[in-house]
Amino acid sequence: AQSAAPAIPTVQLDEKVLITLQKLQSLMEDDDASAQSYLAEQISILEKGLPAGVLRQLENQINKFEFEEALNTLQKILAG
């Protein structure tokens, strides 16, 4: 008998959302201030794929240029 893997609650990320988050992560890792404008341009994609509270937290961190905190938030989203 095969044992089932333990259930891990995850947010199912749409491919567009995943690509957008990865690009955002890359910009922040480079300390690139354009992460802020990129987020603003892509917000409609992210609104469709992320819980509102999580997205607002990420948006607030990026808008304050708190990239380290935003990267931590992003890692949690990507990890599910």
Side-chain angles (χ1 to χ4, degrees), residues 19-39:
I19 290 168
T20 302
L21 290 174
Q22 289 170 338
K23 168 77 172 168
L24 193 57
Q25 180 180 19
S26 176
L27 290 169
M28 289 189 295
E29 286 172 345
D30 291 341
D31 249 353
D32 189 333
S34 69
Q36 193 177 42
S37 57
Y38 181 75
L39 175 65

Side-chain angles (χ1 to χ4, degrees), residues 1 3 5-6 8-9 16 22-24 29-30 32 35 40-41 44 48 51 54 56 62 72-74 77 80:
S3 60
I8 299 170
K16 284 183 182 177
Q22 289 170 338
K23 168 77 172 168
L24 193 57
E29 286 172 345
D30 291 341
D32 189 333
E41 292 165 10
S44 62
K48 294 174 187 168
V54 173
R56 293 298 157 242
I62 291 172
N72 287 335
T73 301
L74 196 58
I77 295 168

